């Protein structure tokens, strides 16, 4: 079963294995490490171009990929609020959060339900408009430096905001982040998730036709 582990924790976990007898296979954006006692497949969040095989535990290319910093735009949206930030490495260099009230679901039918639904749709539109305007204002100064986009919260809402900004929609995206209500403190804690690697225990080596990490425009 796969789990996501912070890059520093991955480094601490793997470094004692460096140089031990075993096998290391780099392919398809992942590193597969085998020793006499265990088997691990690690996929860095922002890609791993190195491809080779070693008859020992070779960690250099993997640790280099994990240690590399990137400039990442984060857009977190839930029905009720949003947060936008720019990260240079693990440092939050620009951010803005906002709230918009959106009514919950209406459980009854009839004309009142229709009025409720129209009002709720209008509140959702206002939320998405505000989140988009904020994202444009916060991210535009970093437009030429942003390499990746991280989205989180409500999937459809976050994707819609990102796709309303043409230049941002073209950037590769990281895995979708499951976050609580977007707040400044949530943004400040985000670097762990942004740089967490996918770790699978007991998996075989990656196939060359399997593709790399899920970084899609």
């Amino acid at each position: 079963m796969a789990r996501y582990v912070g890059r520093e924790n991955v480094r601490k976990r793997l470094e004692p294995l460096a140089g031990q007898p075993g096998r290391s296979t780099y392919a398809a954006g992942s590193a597969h490490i085998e020793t006499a006692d265990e088997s691990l497949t690690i996929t860095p969040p922002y890609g791993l171009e190195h491809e080779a095989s070693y008859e020992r535990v070779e960690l250099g290319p993997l640790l280099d990929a994990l240690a590399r910093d990137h400039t990442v735009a984060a857009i977190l949206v839930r029905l009720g609020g949003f947060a936008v930030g720019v990260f240079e490495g693990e440092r939050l260099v620009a951010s803005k959060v906002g709230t918009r009230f959106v009514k919950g679901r209406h459980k009854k039918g009839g004309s009142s339900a229709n009025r409720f639904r129209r009002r709720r749709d209008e509140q959702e539109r206002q939320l998405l408009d505000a989140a988009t305007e904020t994202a444009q204002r916060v991210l535009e100064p970093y437009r030429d430096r942003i390499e990746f986009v991280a989205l989180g919260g409500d999937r459809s809402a976050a994707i819609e905001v990102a796709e309303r900004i043409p230049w941002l929609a073209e950037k590769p995206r990281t895995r979708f982040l499951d976050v609580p209500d977007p707040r400044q403190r949530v943004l400040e804690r985000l670097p762990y998730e942004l740089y967490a690697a996918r770790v699978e225990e007991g998996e075989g080596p990656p196939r060359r036709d399997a593709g790399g990490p899920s970084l899609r425009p």
Side-chain angles (χ1 to χ4, degrees), residues 99-158:
T99 59
R100 287 291 187 280
F101 177 72
V102 178
K103 290 179 179 290
R105 299 289 179 183
H106 194 282
K107 295 185 168 60
K108 296 181 180 180
S111 60
S112 64
N114 292 332
R115 289 194 300 272
F116 184 93
R117 184 168 56 253
R118 288 194 296 270
R119 179 58 179 153
R120 188 176 192 275
D121 289 345
E122 175 65 15
Q123 290 171 341
E124 288 183 9
R125 186 190 63 76
Q126 291 173 354
L127 167 70
L128 295 175
D129 288 348
T132 302
E133 190 277 331
T134 298
Q136 289 173 322
R137 188 171 66 252
V138 172
L139 303 181
E140 181 64 31
Y142 300 89
R143 176 174 181 168
D144 294 335
R145 285 145 57 188
I146 289 172
E147 302 167 74
F148 301 96
V149 179
L151 304 179
D154 180 90
R155 185 178 295 271
S156 61

CSV table of all heavy atoms in Angstrom, one decimal, residues 99-158:
chain,number,residue,atom,x,y,z
A,99,THR,N,-12.6,34.2,2.6
A,99,THR,CA,-13.8,33.4,2.9
A,99,THR,C,-15.0,33.9,2.2
A,99,THR,O,-15.1,35.1,1.9
A,99,THR,CB,-14.1,33.4,4.4
A,99,THR,OG1,-14.3,34.7,4.8
A,99,THR,CG2,-12.9,32.8,5.2
A,100,ARG,N,-15.9,33.0,1.8
A,100,ARG,CA,-17.2,33.3,1.3
A,100,ARG,C,-18.2,32.3,1.8
A,100,ARG,O,-18.0,31.1,1.7
A,100,ARG,CB,-17.2,33.2,-0.3
A,100,ARG,CG,-16.4,34.3,-1.0
A,100,ARG,CD,-17.1,35.7,-0.8
A,100,ARG,NE,-16.5,36.7,-1.6
A,100,ARG,CZ,-15.4,37.4,-1.3
A,100,ARG,NH1,-14.8,37.1,-0.1
A,100,ARG,NH2,-14.9,38.3,-2.1
A,101,PHE,N,-19.3,32.8,2.3
A,101,PHE,CA,-20.4,31.9,2.8
A,101,PHE,C,-21.1,31.2,1.7
A,101,PHE,O,-21.5,31.8,0.7
A,101,PHE,CB,-21.4,32.7,3.6
A,101,PHE,CG,-22.5,31.9,4.2
A,101,PHE,CD1,-22.3,30.9,5.2
A,101,PHE,CD2,-23.8,32.0,3.6
A,101,PHE,CE1,-23.3,30.1,5.6
A,101,PHE,CE2,-24.8,31.2,4.1
A,101,PHE,CZ,-24.6,30.2,5.1
A,102,VAL,N,-21.2,29.9,1.8
A,102,VAL,CA,-22.0,29.1,0.8
A,102,VAL,C,-22.9,28.2,1.6
A,102,VAL,O,-22.5,27.4,2.5
A,102,VAL,CB,-21.0,28.2,-0.1
A,102,VAL,CG1,-21.9,27.3,-1.0
A,102,VAL,CG2,-20.1,29.1,-0.9
A,103,LYS,N,-24.2,28.3,1.4
A,103,LYS,CA,-25.2,27.5,2.1
A,103,LYS,C,-24.9,26.0,1.9
A,103,LYS,O,-24.5,25.6,0.9
A,103,LYS,CB,-26.6,27.9,1.7
A,103,LYS,CG,-27.0,29.3,2.1
A,103,LYS,CD,-28.4,29.5,1.6
A,103,LYS,CE,-28.9,30.9,2.0
A,103,LYS,NZ,-29.2,31.0,3.5
A,104,GLY,N,-25.3,25.2,2.9
A,104,GLY,CA,-25.3,23.8,2.8
A,104,GLY,C,-26.4,23.3,1.9
A,104,GLY,O,-27.2,24.0,1.3
A,105,ARG,N,-26.5,21.9,1.7
A,105,ARG,CA,-27.5,21.3,0.9
A,105,ARG,C,-28.9,21.5,1.5
A,105,ARG,O,-29.1,21.4,2.7
A,105,ARG,CB,-27.2,19.8,0.7
A,105,ARG,CG,-25.8,19.6,0.0
A,105,ARG,CD,-25.9,19.9,-1.4
A,105,ARG,NE,-24.6,19.7,-2.0
A,105,ARG,CZ,-24.3,20.0,-3.3
A,105,ARG,NH1,-25.2,20.6,-4.0
A,105,ARG,NH2,-23.1,19.8,-3.8
A,106,HIS,N,-29.9,21.6,0.6
A,106,HIS,CA,-31.3,21.7,1.0
A,106,HIS,C,-31.9,20.4,0.9
A,106,HIS,O,-31.8,19.7,-0.1
A,106,HIS,CB,-32.0,22.7,0.1
A,106,HIS,CG,-33.4,23.1,0.6
A,106,HIS,ND1,-34.5,22.3,0.5
A,106,HIS,CD2,-33.8,24.3,1.2
A,106,HIS,CE1,-35.5,23.0,1.0
A,106,HIS,NE2,-35.1,24.2,1.5
A,107,LYS,N,-32.6,19.9,2.0
A,107,LYS,CA,-33.1,18.5,2.0
A,107,LYS,C,-34.5,18.4,1.5
A,107,LYS,O,-35.0,17.3,1.3
A,107,LYS,CB,-32.9,18.0,3.4
A,107,LYS,CG,-31.5,17.8,3.9
A,107,LYS,CD,-31.5,17.1,5.2
A,107,LYS,CE,-30.1,16.7,5.6
A,107,LYS,NZ,-29.0,17.3,5.8
A,108,LYS,N,-35.2,19.5,1.4
A,108,LYS,CA,-36.6,19.5,1.0
A,108,LYS,C,-36.8,19.8,-0.5
A,108,LYS,O,-35.9,20.4,-1.1
A,108,LYS,CB,-37.5,20.4,1.9
A,108,LYS,CG,-37.5,20.1,3.4
A,108,LYS,CD,-38.3,21.0,4.2
A,108,LYS,CE,-38.3,20.7,5.6
A,108,LYS,NZ,-39.1,21.6,6.4
A,109,GLY,N,-37.9,19.4,-1.0
A,109,GLY,CA,-38.2,19.7,-2.4
A,109,GLY,C,-39.1,21.0,-2.6
A,109,GLY,O,-39.2,21.8,-1.7
A,110,GLY,N,-39.7,21.1,-3.8
A,110,GLY,CA,-40.6,22.2,-4.0
A,110,GLY,C,-39.9,23.5,-4.4
A,110,GLY,O,-38.7,23.5,-4.7
A,111,SER,N,-40.7,24.5,-4.5
A,111,SER,CA,-40.2,25.8,-5.0
A,111,SER,C,-39.2,26.4,-4.1
A,111,SER,O,-38.2,27.1,-4.5
A,111,SER,CB,-41.4,26.8,-5.1
A,111,SER,OG,-42.0,27.0,-3.9
A,112,SER,N,-39.3,26.1,-2.7
A,112,SER,CA,-38.3,26.6,-1.8
A,112,SER,C,-36.9,26.0,-2.1
A,112,SER,O,-35.9,26.7,-2.0
A,112,SER,CB,-38.7,26.4,-0.4
A,112,SER,OG,-38.7,25.0,-0.1
A,113,ALA,N,-36.9,24.8,-2.5
A,113,ALA,CA,-35.6,24.1,-2.8
A,113,ALA,C,-35.0,24.7,-4.1
A,113,ALA,O,-33.8,24.9,-4.2
A,113,ALA,CB,-35.9,22.6,-3.0
A,114,ASN,N,-35.9,25.1,-5.1
A,114,ASN,CA,-35.3,25.7,-6.3
A,114,ASN,C,-34.7,27.1,-6.0
A,114,ASN,O,-33.7,27.4,-6.5
A,114,ASN,CB,-36.5,25.9,-7.3
A,114,ASN,CG,-36.9,24.5,-7.8
A,114,ASN,OD1,-36.2,23.6,-7.9
A,114,ASN,ND2,-38.2,24.5,-8.3
A,115,ARG,N,-35.4,27.9,-5.1
A,115,ARG,CA,-34.9,29.2,-4.7
A,115,ARG,C,-33.6,29.0,-4.0
A,115,ARG,O,-32.6,29.7,-4.2
A,115,ARG,CB,-35.9,29.9,-3.8
A,115,ARG,CG,-37.1,30.4,-4.6
A,115,ARG,CD,-37.8,31.5,-3.8
A,115,ARG,NE,-38.3,30.9,-2.5
A,115,ARG,CZ,-39.5,30.3,-2.3
A,115,ARG,NH1,-40.3,30.1,-3.4
A,115,ARG,NH2,-39.8,29.8,-1.2
A,116,PHE,N,-33.5,28.0,-3.1
A,116,PHE,CA,-32.3,27.7,-2.3
A,116,PHE,C,-31.2,27.3,-3.2
A,116,PHE,O,-30.0,27.8,-3.1
A,116,PHE,CB,-32.6,26.6,-1.3
A,116,PHE,CG,-31.4,26.2,-0.4
A,116,PHE,CD1,-31.3,26.8,0.8
A,116,PHE,CD2,-30.5,25.3,-0.8
A,116,PHE,CE1,-30.3,26.5,1.7
A,116,PHE,CE2,-29.4,25.0,0.0
A,116,PHE,CZ,-29.3,25.6,1.3
A,117,ARG,N,-31.5,26.5,-4.2
A,117,ARG,CA,-30.4,26.0,-5.1
A,117,ARG,C,-29.9,27.2,-6.0
A,117,ARG,O,-28.7,27.3,-6.2
A,117,ARG,CB,-31.0,24.9,-6.1
A,117,ARG,CG,-29.9,24.4,-7.0
A,117,ARG,CD,-30.4,23.1,-7.7
A,117,ARG,NE,-31.6,23.3,-8.4
A,117,ARG,CZ,-32.8,22.9,-8.1
A,117,ARG,NH1,-32.9,22.2,-7.0
A,117,ARG,NH2,-33.9,23.1,-8.8
A,118,ARG,N,-30.8,28.1,-6.4
A,118,ARG,CA,-30.3,29.3,-7.2
A,118,ARG,C,-29.4,30.1,-6.3
A,118,ARG,O,-28.4,30.6,-6.8
A,118,ARG,CB,-31.5,30.1,-7.7
A,118,ARG,CG,-32.2,29.4,-8.9
A,118,ARG,CD,-33.2,30.3,-9.5
A,118,ARG,NE,-34.2,30.8,-8.7
A,118,ARG,CZ,-35.4,30.2,-8.5
A,118,ARG,NH1,-35.7,29.1,-9.2
A,118,ARG,NH2,-36.3,30.7,-7.7
A,119,ARG,N,-29.8,30.3,-5.0
A,119,ARG,CA,-29.0,31.1,-4.1
A,119,ARG,C,-27.6,30.5,-3.9
A,119,ARG,O,-26.6,31.2,-3.9
A,119,ARG,CB,-29.8,31.3,-2.8
A,119,ARG,CG,-29.0,32.2,-1.8
A,119,ARG,CD,-28.6,33.5,-2.3
A,119,ARG,NE,-28.0,34.3,-1.3
A,119,ARG,CZ,-27.1,35.3,-1.6
A,119,ARG,NH1,-26.8,35.6,-2.9
A,119,ARG,NH2,-26.5,36.0,-0.6
A,120,ARG,N,-27.7,29.2,-3.7
A,120,ARG,CA,-26.4,28.5,-3.4
A,120,ARG,C,-25.5,28.5,-4.6
A,120,ARG,O,-24.3,28.7,-4.5
A,120,ARG,CB,-26.7,27.0,-3.0
A,120,ARG,CG,-25.5,26.3,-2.6
A,120,ARG,CD,-25.9,24.9,-2.1
A,120,ARG,NE,-24.8,24.2,-1.4
A,120,ARG,CZ,-23.8,23.6,-2.0
A,120,ARG,NH1,-23.7,23.5,-3.3
A,120,ARG,NH2,-22.8,23.0,-1.2
A,121,ASP,N,-26.1,28.4,-5.8
A,121,ASP,CA,-25.3,28.4,-7.1
A,121,ASP,C,-24.6,29.8,-7.2
A,121,ASP,O,-23.4,29.9,-7.6
A,121,ASP,CB,-26.1,28.2,-8.3
A,121,ASP,CG,-26.5,26.7,-8.4
A,121,ASP,OD1,-25.9,25.9,-7.7
A,121,ASP,OD2,-27.5,26.4,-9.2
A,122,GLU,N,-25.4,30.9,-6.8
A,122,GLU,CA,-24.8,32.2,-6.9
A,122,GLU,C,-23.7,32.4,-5.9
A,122,GLU,O,-22.6,33.0,-6.2
A,122,GLU,CB,-25.9,33.2,-6.6
A,122,GLU,CG,-25.5,34.7,-6.6
A,122,GLU,CD,-24.9,35.2,-7.9
A,122,GLU,OE1,-25.1,34.6,-8.9
A,122,GLU,OE2,-24.2,36.3,-7.9
A,123,GLN,N,-23.8,31.8,-4.7
A,123,GLN,CA,-22.8,31.9,-3.7
A,123,GLN,C,-21.5,31.2,-4.2
A,123,GLN,O,-20.4,31.6,-3.9
A,123,GLN,CB,-23.3,31.4,-2.4
A,123,GLN,CG,-24.3,32.3,-1.7
A,123,GLN,CD,-25.0,31.6,-0.5
A,123,GLN,OE1,-24.9,30.4,-0.3
A,123,GLN,NE2,-25.6,32.4,0.3
A,124,GLU,N,-21.7,30.0,-4.8
A,124,GLU,CA,-20.6,29.3,-5.3
A,124,GLU,C,-19.8,30.1,-6.4
A,124,GLU,O,-18.6,30.1,-6.4
A,124,GLU,CB,-21.0,27.9,-5.8
A,124,GLU,CG,-21.5,26.9,-4.8
A,124,GLU,CD,-21.8,25.6,-5.4
A,124,GLU,OE1,-21.6,25.4,-6.6
A,124,GLU,OE2,-22.4,24.7,-4.6
A,125,ARG,N,-20.6,30.7,-7.3
A,125,ARG,CA,-20.0,31.5,-8.3
A,125,ARG,C,-19.2,32.6,-7.7
A,125,ARG,O,-18.1,32.9,-8.2
A,125,ARG,CB,-21.1,32.0,-9.3
A,125,ARG,CG,-20.5,32.8,-10.5
A,125,ARG,CD,-21.6,33.5,-11.3
A,125,ARG,NE,-22.2,34.5,-10.5
A,125,ARG,CZ,-21.7,35.7,-10.2
A,125,ARG,NH1,-20.4,36.0,-10.7
A,125,ARG,NH2,-22.3,36.6,-9.5
A,126,GLN,N,-19.7,33.3,-6.7
A,126,GLN,CA,-19.0,34.4,-6.1
A,126,GLN,C,-17.7,33.9,-5.4
A,126,GLN,O,-16.7,34.6,-5.5
A,126,GLN,CB,-19.9,35.1,-5.0
A,126,GLN,CG,-21.1,35.8,-5.7
A,126,GLN,CD,-22.1,36.4,-4.6
A,126,GLN,OE1,-21.9,36.1,-3.4
A,126,GLN,NE2,-23.0,37.1,-5.1
A,127,LEU,N,-17.8,32.7,-4.8
A,127,LEU,CA,-16.6,32.2,-4.2
A,127,LEU,C,-15.5,31.9,-5.3
A,127,LEU,O,-14.4,32.3,-5.1
A,127,LEU,CB,-16.9,30.9,-3.5
A,127,LEU,CG,-15.7,30.0,-3.1
A,127,LEU,CD1,-15.0,30.6,-1.9
A,127,LEU,CD2,-16.2,28.6,-2.6
A,128,LEU,N,-15.9,31.2,-6.4
A,128,LEU,CA,-14.9,30.9,-7.4
A,128,LEU,C,-14.4,32.2,-8.1
A,128,LEU,O,-13.2,32.2,-8.4
A,128,LEU,CB,-15.6,30.0,-8.4
A,128,LEU,CG,-16.0,28.6,-7.9
A,128,LEU,CD1,-16.7,27.8,-9.0
A,128,LEU,CD2,-14.8,27.8,-7.5
A,129,ASP,N,-15.2,33.2,-8.2
A,129,ASP,CA,-14.8,34.5,-8.8
A,129,ASP,C,-13.7,35.1,-7.9
A,129,ASP,O,-12.7,35.6,-8.4
A,129,ASP,CB,-15.9,35.4,-9.0
A,129,ASP,CG,-16.8,35.0,-10.2
A,129,ASP,OD1,-16.5,34.1,-11.0
A,129,ASP,OD2,-18.0,35.6,-10.3
A,130,ALA,N,-14.0,35.1,-6.6
A,130,ALA,CA,-13.1,35.7,-5.6
A,130,ALA,C,-11.8,34.9,-5.6
A,130,ALA,O,-10.7,35.5,-5.5
A,130,ALA,CB,-13.7,35.8,-4.2
A,131,ALA,N,-11.9,33.6,-5.6
A,131,ALA,CA,-10.6,32.8,-5.6
A,131,ALA,C,-9.8,33.0,-6.8
A,131,ALA,O,-8.6,33.1,-6.7
A,131,ALA,CB,-11.0,31.3,-5.4
A,132,THR,N,-10.5,33.1,-8.0
A,132,THR,CA,-9.8,33.3,-9.2
A,132,THR,C,-9.1,34.6,-9.2
A,132,THR,O,-7.9,34.8,-9.6
A,132,THR,CB,-10.7,33.2,-10.4
A,132,THR,OG1,-11.4,31.9,-10.4
A,132,THR,CG2,-10.0,33.4,-11.7
A,133,GLU,N,-9.8,35.7,-8.8
A,133,GLU,CA,-9.2,37.0,-8.8
A,133,GLU,C,-8.0,37.1,-7.8
A,133,GLU,O,-6.9,37.7,-8.2
A,133,GLU,CB,-10.3,38.0,-8.4
A,133,GLU,CG,-9.8,39.5,-8.5
A,133,GLU,CD,-9.0,40.0,-7.4
A,133,GLU,OE1,-9.2,39.5,-6.2
A,133,GLU,OE2,-8.2,40.9,-7.6
A,134,THR,N,-8.1,36.4,-6.7
A,134,THR,CA,-7.0,36.4,-5.7
A,134,THR,C,-5.8,35.6,-6.3
A,134,THR,O,-4.7,36.1,-6.2
A,134,THR,CB,-7.5,35.8,-4.4
A,134,THR,OG1,-8.5,36.5,-3.9
A,134,THR,CG2,-6.3,35.6,-3.4
A,135,ALA,N,-6.1,34.5,-6.9
A,135,ALA,CA,-5.0,33.7,-7.5
A,135,ALA,C,-4.3,34.5,-8.6
A,135,ALA,O,-3.0,34.5,-8.6
A,135,ALA,CB,-5.6,32.4,-8.1
A,136,GLN,N,-5.0,35.2,-9.4
A,136,GLN,CA,-4.3,36.0,-10.5
A,136,GLN,C,-3.4,37.0,-9.9
A,136,GLN,O,-2.3,37.3,-10.3
A,136,GLN,CB,-5.4,36.6,-11.4
A,136,GLN,CG,-6.1,35.7,-12.3
A,136,GLN,CD,-7.3,36.3,-13.0
A,136,GLN,OE1,-8.0,37.2,-12.5
A,136,GLN,NE2,-7.5,35.9,-14.2
A,137,ARG,N,-3.9,37.7,-8.8
A,137,ARG,CA,-3.2,38.8,-8.2
A,137,ARG,C,-1.9,38.3,-7.5
A,137,ARG,O,-0.8,38.9,-7.6
A,137,ARG,CB,-4.1,39.6,-7.2
A,137,ARG,CG,-3.4,40.8,-6.7
A,137,ARG,CD,-4.4,41.7,-5.9
A,137,ARG,NE,-4.9,41.0,-4.7
A,137,ARG,CZ,-6.1,40.5,-4.5
A,137,ARG,NH1,-7.0,40.6,-5.5
A,137,ARG,NH2,-6.4,40.0,-3.3
A,138,VAL,N,-2.1,37.2,-6.8
A,138,VAL,CA,-0.9,36.6,-6.0
A,138,VAL,C,0.1,36.0,-6.9
A,138,VAL,O,1.3,36.1,-6.6
A,138,VAL,CB,-1.5,35.6,-4.9
A,138,VAL,CG1,-0.3,34.9,-4.2
A,138,VAL,CG2,-2.3,36.4,-3.9
A,139,LEU,N,-0.3,35.2,-7.9
A,139,LEU,CA,0.6,34.4,-8.6
A,139,LEU,C,1.2,35.1,-9.8
A,139,LEU,O,2.3,34.8,-10.2
A,139,LEU,CB,-0.2,33.2,-9.2
A,139,LEU,CG,-0.9,32.3,-8.2
A,139,LEU,CD1,-1.5,31.1,-8.8
A,139,LEU,CD2,0.1,31.8,-7.1
A,140,GLU,N,0.6,36.2,-10.3
A,140,GLU,CA,1.1,36.8,-11.5
A,140,GLU,C,2.6,37.3,-11.4
A,140,GLU,O,3.4,37.1,-12.3
A,140,GLU,CB,0.2,38.0,-11.9
A,140,GLU,CG,0.7,38.8,-13.1
A,140,GLU,CD,0.6,37.9,-14.4
A,140,GLU,OE1,-0.3,37.0,-14.5
A,140,GLU,OE2,1.4,38.1,-15.3
A,141,PRO,N,3.0,37.9,-10.3
A,141,PRO,CA,4.4,38.3,-10.2
A,141,PRO,C,5.4,37.2,-10.2
A,141,PRO,O,6.6,37.4,-10.5
A,141,PRO,CB,4.4,39.0,-8.8
A,141,PRO,CG,3.0,39.4,-8.5
A,141,PRO,CD,2.2,38.3,-9.1
A,142,TYR,N,4.9,35.9,-10.0
A,142,TYR,CA,5.8,34.8,-10.1
A,142,TYR,C,5.6,33.9,-11.3
A,142,TYR,O,6.1,32.8,-11.4
A,142,TYR,CB,5.6,33.9,-8.8
A,142,TYR,CG,5.9,34.7,-7.5
A,142,TYR,CD1,4.9,35.4,-6.9
A,142,TYR,CD2,7.1,34.7,-6.9
A,142,TYR,CE1,5.1,36.1,-5.7
A,142,TYR,CE2,7.4,35.4,-5.8
A,142,TYR,CZ,6.4,36.1,-5.2
A,142,TYR,OH,6.6,36.8,-4.0
A,143,ARG,N,4.9,34.5,-12.2
A,143,ARG,CA,4.4,33.7,-13.4
A,143,ARG,C,5.6,33.0,-14.1
A,143,ARG,O,5.5,31.8,-14.5
A,143,ARG,CB,3.7,34.6,-14.4
A,143,ARG,CG,3.3,34.0,-15.7
A,143,ARG,CD,2.5,35.0,-16.5
A,143,ARG,NE,2.0,34.4,-17.8
A,143,ARG,CZ,1.1,35.0,-18.5
A,143,ARG,NH1,0.6,36.2,-18.2
A,143,ARG,NH2,0.8,34.5,-19.7
A,144,ASP,N,6.7,33.7,-14.3
A,144,ASP,CA,7.8,33.1,-15.1
A,144,ASP,C,8.6,32.1,-14.2
A,144,ASP,O,9.5,31.4,-14.8
A,144,ASP,CB,8.7,34.2,-15.6
A,144,ASP,CG,8.0,35.1,-16.6
A,144,ASP,OD1,7.1,34.6,-17.3
A,144,ASP,OD2,8.4,36.3,-16.8
A,145,ARG,N,8.4,32.1,-12.9
A,145,ARG,CA,9.2,31.2,-12.1
A,145,ARG,C,8.5,30.0,-11.6
A,145,ARG,O,9.1,29.0,-11.2
A,145,ARG,CB,9.7,32.0,-10.9
A,145,ARG,CG,10.9,32.9,-11.2
A,145,ARG,CD,10.8,34.2,-10.5
A,145,ARG,NE,10.9,34.1,-9.0
A,145,ARG,CZ,10.7,35.1,-8.2
A,145,ARG,NH1,10.5,36.3,-8.6
A,145,ARG,NH2,10.8,34.9,-6.9
A,146,ILE,N,7.1,30.0,-11.6
A,146,ILE,CA,6.3,28.9,-11.1
A,146,ILE,C,6.5,27.7,-12.1
A,146,ILE,O,6.4,27.8,-13.3
A,146,ILE,CB,4.9,29.3,-11.1
A,146,ILE,CG1,4.6,30.3,-9.9
A,146,ILE,CG2,4.0,28.0,-10.9
A,146,ILE,CD1,3.3,30.9,-9.9
A,147,GLU,N,6.9,26.6,-11.5
A,147,GLU,CA,7.2,25.3,-12.2
A,147,GLU,C,6.0,24.4,-12.2
A,147,GLU,O,5.7,23.7,-13.1
A,147,GLU,CB,8.4,24.6,-11.7
A,147,GLU,CG,9.7,25.5,-11.7
A,147,GLU,CD,10.8,24.8,-10.9
A,147,GLU,OE1,11.3,23.8,-11.3
A,147,GLU,OE2,11.0,25.3,-9.7
A,148,PHE,N,5.3,24.3,-11.0
A,148,PHE,CA,4.3,23.3,-10.8
A,148,PHE,C,3.1,24.0,-10.0
A,148,PHE,O,3.3,25.0,-9.4
A,148,PHE,CB,4.8,22.2,-9.9
A,148,PHE,CG,6.0,21.4,-10.5
A,148,PHE,CD1,7.3,21.7,-10.2
A,148,PHE,CD2,5.8,20.4,-11.5
A,148,PHE,CE1,8.3,21.1,-10.7
A,148,PHE,CE2,6.8,19.8,-12.0
A,148,PHE,CZ,8.1,20.1,-11.7
A,149,VAL,N,2.0,23.3,-10.1
A,149,VAL,CA,0.8,23.8,-9.4
A,149,VAL,C,0.3,22.7,-8.5
A,149,VAL,O,0.1,21.5,-9.0
A,149,VAL,CB,-0.3,24.2,-10.4
A,149,VAL,CG1,-1.6,24.7,-9.7
A,149,VAL,CG2,0.2,25.3,-11.4
A,150,ALA,N,0.0,23.0,-7.3
A,150,ALA,CA,-0.6,22.1,-6.3
A,150,ALA,C,-2.0,22.5,-6.0
A,150,ALA,O,-2.2,23.7,-5.6
A,150,ALA,CB,0.2,22.0,-5.1
A,151,LEU,N,-3.0,21.7,-6.2
A,151,LEU,CA,-4.4,22.0,-6.0
A,151,LEU,C,-4.8,21.1,-4.8
A,151,LEU,O,-4.4,20.0,-4.6
A,151,LEU,CB,-5.2,21.7,-7.2
A,151,LEU,CG,-4.9,22.4,-8.5
A,151,LEU,CD1,-5.8,22.0,-9.6
A,151,LEU,CD2,-4.9,23.9,-8.3
A,152,GLY,N,-5.8,21.7,-4.0
A,152,GLY,CA,-6.3,20.9,-2.9
A,152,GLY,C,-7.7,21.4,-2.4
A,152,GLY,O,-8.1,22.5,-2.8
A,153,GLY,N,-8.3,20.6,-1.6
A,153,GLY,CA,-9.6,21.0,-1.1
A,153,GLY,C,-10.7,20.3,-1.8
A,153,GLY,O,-10.8,19.0,-1.9
A,154,ASP,N,-11.7,21.0,-2.4
A,154,ASP,CA,-12.7,20.5,-3.2
A,154,ASP,C,-12.2,20.4,-4.6
A,154,ASP,O,-11.8,21.4,-5.2
A,154,ASP,CB,-13.9,21.4,-3.2
A,154,ASP,CG,-15.1,20.9,-4.0
A,154,ASP,OD1,-15.9,20.1,-3.5
A,154,ASP,OD2,-15.1,21.3,-5.2
A,155,ARG,N,-12.1,19.2,-5.2
A,155,ARG,CA,-11.5,18.9,-6.4
A,155,ARG,C,-12.0,19.8,-7.6
A,155,ARG,O,-11.3,20.5,-8.3
A,155,ARG,CB,-11.5,17.5,-6.8
A,155,ARG,CG,-10.7,17.1,-8.0
A,155,ARG,CD,-10.8,15.6,-8.3
A,155,ARG,NE,-10.1,14.8,-7.3
A,155,ARG,CZ,-8.8,14.5,-7.3
A,155,ARG,NH1,-8.1,14.9,-8.3
A,155,ARG,NH2,-8.3,13.8,-6.3
A,156,SER,N,-13.3,19.7,-7.8
A,156,SER,CA,-13.9,20.4,-8.9
A,156,SER,C,-13.7,21.9,-8.8
A,156,SER,O,-13.5,22.6,-9.8
A,156,SER,CB,-15.4,20.1,-9.1
A,156,SER,OG,-16.1,20.5,-7.9
A,157,ALA,N,-13.9,22.5,-7.6
A,157,ALA,CA,-13.7,23.9,-7.4
A,157,ALA,C,-12.3,24.4,-7.6
A,157,ALA,O,-12.0,25.4,-8.3
A,157,ALA,CB,-14.2,24.3,-6.0
A,158,ALA,N,-11.3,23.6,-7.1
A,158,ALA,CA,-9.9,24.0,-7.2
A,158,ALA,C,-9.5,23.9,-8.7
A,158,ALA,O,-8.8,24.8,-9.2
A,158,ALA,CB,-9.0,23.1,-6.4
